[in-house]
């Protein structure tokens, strides 16, 4: 089992460009999350999906959109990238509703916006 | 929202030493997890511990929910323990959203 996978691992964008970060899990988990991590800080929640077909804003959603494509895949889109979005992006998953609350993380995507 | 404070922010240990990391949180929670971020950036779940005590090898954790703190103990530290340790808390429920502290950066030297 691959667990949680993210693509790409690294990306450099110019201001104003768009891109989609992909996340896939083979753990049969219901809930999926997107976080960003900035230097010297903890992780901050951007968006989450409690289950297939639902998405909700987290702490820092501005400038991002998400799509829960199916149970396995949860993508994060930057429509018009800004230097403030330079960060490391992590996808995470959690198991069944009401139980198995441990979160499992992907390897991250390091994004630089010039 | 919930505030999460971790201490100390930085810690340097010699291999073989023991350490205690602390996590204080500002409100009642029913979800608390400890993570280790290794020097390559990978986040590993160490413990899901909303209350009580758990042990896994040289690591153990205790959460006193009524007093709003959790402790992570590392015994006989090894260089592979280096990295950043994060505490994260939440209210559980269907989405299990977590709020992270800013972490304790641990360096274990020979």
């Amino acid at each position: 089992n691959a667990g949680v996978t993210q693509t790409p691992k690294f990306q450099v964008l110019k201001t104003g460009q768009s891109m989609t970060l992909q996340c896939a899990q083979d753990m049969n988990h219901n809930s999926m999350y997107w976080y960003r991590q900035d230097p010297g800080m903890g992780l901050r929640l951007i968006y989450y999906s409690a289950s297939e077909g639902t998405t909700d804003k987290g702490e820092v959603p501005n400038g991002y959109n998400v799509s829960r494509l199916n149970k396995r895949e949860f993508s994060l889109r930057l429509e018009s990238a800004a230097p403030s979005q330079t960060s490391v992006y992590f996808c995470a998953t959690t198991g069944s509703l009401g139980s198995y609350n441990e979160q499992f993380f992907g390897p991250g995507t390091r994004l630089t916006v010039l | 929202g919930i505030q999460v404070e971790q201490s100390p922010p930085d810690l340097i240990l010699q291999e073989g030493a023991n350490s205690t990391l602390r996590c204080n949180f500002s409100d009642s929670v029913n979800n608390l997890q400890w993570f280790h971020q290794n020097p390559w950036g990978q986040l590993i779940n160490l413990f899901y511990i909303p209350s009580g005590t758990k042990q896994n090898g040289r690591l153990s954790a205790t959460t006193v929910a009524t007093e709003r703190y959790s402790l992570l103990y590392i015994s006989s530290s090894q260089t592979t323990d280096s990295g950043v340790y994060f505490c994260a808390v939440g209210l559980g429920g269907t989405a299990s959203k977590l709020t992270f502290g800013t972490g304790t950066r641990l360096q274990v030297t020979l």
Side-chain angles (χ1 to χ4, degrees):
Chain A
N1 287 351
V4 183
T5 58
Q6 293 183 234
T7 55
K9 287 186 170 52
F10 301 93
Q11 184 72 48
V12 179
L13 294 178
K14 294 180 180 179
T15 297
Q17 288 185 315
S18 62
M19 78 161 296
T20 299
L21 282 65
Q22 306 285 355
C23 175
Q25 53 103 357
D26 62 3
M27 306 173 82
N28 199 33
H29 284 174
N30 288 311
S31 301
M32 300 184 73
Y33 313 81
W34 277 105
Y35 294 89
R36 62 177 287 172
Q37 183 178 29
D38 300 305
M41 298 182 69
L43 280 73
R44 292 183 293 169
L45 184 65
I46 305 171
Y47 270 94
Y48 66 98
S49 170
S51 61
E52 186 178 354
T54 69
T55 60
D56 283 289
K57 295 178 181 179
E59 182 185 352
V60 289
N62 291 346
Y64 305 95
N65 285 301
V66 291
S67 295
R68 183 74 183 266
L69 304 170
N70 47 55
K71 189 172 185 178
R72 291 187 62 249
E73 298 172 290
F74 188 38
S75 63
L76 178 72
R77 183 161 179 83
L78 288 69
E79 291 291 352
S80 179
S84 60
Q85 294 178 304
T86 293
S87 189
V88 181
Y89 291 85
F90 288 97
C91 176
T93 70
T94 295
S96 304
L97 299 180
S99 65
Y100 304 114
N101 286 312
E102 294 90 333
Q103 284 198 11
F104 297 92
F105 282 80
T109 294
R110 186 174 296 273
L111 175 66
T112 301
V113 183
L114 302 175
Chain B
I2 299 173
Q3 303 299 311
V4 183
E5 294 183 0
Q6 292 185 242
S7 59
D10 295 281
L11 186 59
I12 300 175
L13 296 176
Q14 204 159 23
E15 196 172 43
N18 303 328
S19 62
T20 301
L21 283 58
R22 187 177 180 101
C23 171
N24 292 330
F25 42 96
S26 62
D27 209 343
S28 298
V29 300
N30 55 18
N31 187 345
L32 189 145
Q33 301 182 36
W34 283 97
F35 296 88
H36 175 222
Q37 186 170 39
N38 65 26
W40 296 271
Q42 179 67 46
L43 282 151
I44 305 297
N45 192 301
L46 298 175
F47 293 104
Y48 167 70
I49 186 167
S51 63
T53 297
K54 288 186 177 180
Q55 181 156 6
N56 184 1
R58 296 181 296 103
L59 302 181
S60 64
T62 295
T63 297
V64 184
T66 53
E67 297 188 21
R68 300 181 185 171
Y69 74 89
S70 182
L71 303 173
L72 178 69
Y73 304 97
I74 304 174
S75 64
S76 303
S77 58
Q78 300 176 359
T79 56
T80 52
D81 295 330
S82 296
V84 183
Y85 290 81
F86 289 104
C87 169
V89 303
L91 297 177
T94 57
S96 298
K97 295 184 294 179
L98 294 177
T99 299
F100 280 74
T102 54
T104 291
R105 183 174 298 276
L106 173 65
Q107 183 179 353
V108 181
T109 63
L110 293 171

Short mmCIF file of all heavy atoms in Angstrom, two decimals, chain B residues 12-20 58 74-78 81 106 108-109:
data_model
loop_
_atom_site.label_atom_id
_atom_site.label_comp_id
_atom_site.label_asym_id
_atom_site.label_seq_id
_atom_site.Cartn_x
_atom_site.Cartn_y
_atom_site.Cartn_z
N ILE B 12 18.29 20.62 22.57
CA ILE B 12 19.45 19.88 22.11
C ILE B 12 19.81 18.86 23.18
O ILE B 12 19.96 19.21 24.35
CB ILE B 12 20.65 20.81 21.84
CG1 ILE B 12 20.30 21.83 20.76
CG2 ILE B 12 21.88 20.00 21.41
CD1 ILE B 12 21.37 22.87 20.51
N LEU B 13 19.92 17.60 22.78
CA LEU B 13 20.22 16.53 23.72
C LEU B 13 21.43 15.74 23.23
O LEU B 13 21.67 15.62 22.02
CB LEU B 13 19.05 15.55 23.81
CG LEU B 13 17.73 16.02 24.37
CD1 LEU B 13 16.71 14.89 24.27
CD2 LEU B 13 17.88 16.48 25.80
N GLN B 14 22.12 15.16 24.18
CA GLN B 14 23.15 14.21 23.82
C GLN B 14 22.50 12.83 23.71
O GLN B 14 21.53 12.51 24.45
CB GLN B 14 24.25 14.18 24.88
CG GLN B 14 25.58 13.69 24.37
CD GLN B 14 26.72 14.15 25.25
OE1 GLN B 14 26.53 14.45 26.43
NE2 GLN B 14 27.92 14.20 24.69
N GLU B 15 22.98 12.03 22.82
CA GLU B 15 22.42 10.69 22.64
C GLU B 15 22.38 9.95 23.98
O GLU B 15 23.35 9.98 24.74
CB GLU B 15 23.26 9.92 21.63
CG GLU B 15 22.57 8.68 21.08
CD GLU B 15 23.35 8.04 19.95
OE1 GLU B 15 24.58 7.93 20.06
OE2 GLU B 15 22.72 7.67 18.93
N GLY B 16 21.26 9.32 24.24
CA GLY B 16 21.09 8.58 25.50
C GLY B 16 20.34 9.34 26.56
O GLY B 16 19.87 8.74 27.54
N ALA B 17 20.18 10.64 26.39
CA ALA B 17 19.47 11.46 27.38
C ALA B 17 17.96 11.30 27.22
O ALA B 17 17.46 10.85 26.18
CB ALA B 17 19.87 12.92 27.23
N ASN B 18 17.25 11.68 28.27
CA ASN B 18 15.79 11.65 28.26
C ASN B 18 15.25 13.07 28.14
O ASN B 18 15.94 14.04 28.50
CB ASN B 18 15.26 11.04 29.56
CG ASN B 18 15.78 9.65 29.80
OD1 ASN B 18 16.02 8.90 28.86
ND2 ASN B 18 15.98 9.30 31.08
N SER B 19 14.02 13.21 27.65
CA SER B 19 13.44 14.54 27.54
C SER B 19 11.93 14.47 27.67
O SER B 19 11.31 13.42 27.47
CB SER B 19 13.80 15.17 26.19
OG SER B 19 13.26 14.40 25.13
N THR B 20 11.35 15.62 28.03
CA THR B 20 9.91 15.76 28.14
C THR B 20 9.48 16.99 27.35
O THR B 20 9.99 18.09 27.57
CB THR B 20 9.46 15.93 29.60
OG1 THR B 20 9.88 14.79 30.35
CG2 THR B 20 7.95 16.07 29.68
N ARG B 58 10.47 3.52 23.05
CA ARG B 58 11.11 4.53 23.90
C ARG B 58 10.26 5.79 24.08
O ARG B 58 10.65 6.69 24.83
CB ARG B 58 12.47 4.91 23.29
CG ARG B 58 13.49 3.80 23.23
CD ARG B 58 14.80 4.27 22.63
NE ARG B 58 14.62 4.67 21.22
CZ ARG B 58 14.54 5.92 20.81
NH1 ARG B 58 14.64 6.93 21.67
NH2 ARG B 58 14.38 6.19 19.52
N ILE B 74 10.55 11.16 25.72
CA ILE B 74 11.49 10.43 24.88
C ILE B 74 12.60 9.93 25.79
O ILE B 74 13.28 10.74 26.44
CB ILE B 74 12.07 11.32 23.77
CG1 ILE B 74 10.96 11.94 22.93
CG2 ILE B 74 13.03 10.51 22.88
CD1 ILE B 74 11.44 12.94 21.90
N SER B 75 12.78 8.63 25.86
CA SER B 75 13.83 8.08 26.70
C SER B 75 14.97 7.55 25.83
O SER B 75 14.75 7.15 24.68
CB SER B 75 13.28 6.96 27.58
OG SER B 75 12.84 5.88 26.79
N SER B 76 16.16 7.57 26.40
CA SER B 76 17.35 7.06 25.70
C SER B 76 17.40 7.55 24.26
O SER B 76 17.44 6.76 23.31
CB SER B 76 17.36 5.52 25.74
OG SER B 76 17.31 5.05 27.06
N SER B 77 17.40 8.86 24.11
CA SER B 77 17.27 9.45 22.77
C SER B 77 18.37 8.98 21.82
O SER B 77 19.50 8.67 22.23
CB SER B 77 17.29 10.98 22.87
OG SER B 77 18.49 11.41 23.49
N GLN B 78 18.00 8.92 20.55
CA GLN B 78 18.90 8.53 19.48
C GLN B 78 18.91 9.63 18.42
O GLN B 78 17.97 10.43 18.34
CB GLN B 78 18.44 7.20 18.87
CG GLN B 78 18.40 6.06 19.87
CD GLN B 78 17.85 4.77 19.29
OE1 GLN B 78 17.48 4.71 18.11
NE2 GLN B 78 17.80 3.73 20.11
N ASP B 81 15.90 10.40 16.44
CA ASP B 81 14.80 11.12 17.06
C ASP B 81 14.80 12.60 16.67
O ASP B 81 13.83 13.31 16.95
CB ASP B 81 14.85 11.03 18.58
CG ASP B 81 14.66 9.60 19.09
OD1 ASP B 81 13.97 8.82 18.42
OD2 ASP B 81 15.23 9.27 20.15
N LEU B 106 13.89 19.26 18.02
CA LEU B 106 14.82 18.46 18.80
C LEU B 106 16.03 18.07 17.96
O LEU B 106 15.89 17.59 16.84
CB LEU B 106 14.12 17.18 19.30
CG LEU B 106 15.00 16.16 19.99
CD1 LEU B 106 15.57 16.72 21.28
CD2 LEU B 106 14.23 14.87 20.27
N VAL B 108 19.41 15.72 18.44
CA VAL B 108 20.13 14.76 19.26
C VAL B 108 21.53 14.60 18.68
O VAL B 108 21.70 14.25 17.52
CB VAL B 108 19.42 13.40 19.31
CG1 VAL B 108 20.21 12.43 20.19
CG2 VAL B 108 18.00 13.55 19.81
N THR B 109 22.52 14.86 19.52
CA THR B 109 23.91 14.81 19.07
C THR B 109 24.64 13.61 19.65
O THR B 109 24.24 13.06 20.69
CB THR B 109 24.65 16.09 19.48
OG1 THR B 109 24.67 16.16 20.92
CG2 THR B 109 23.96 17.32 18.93
#
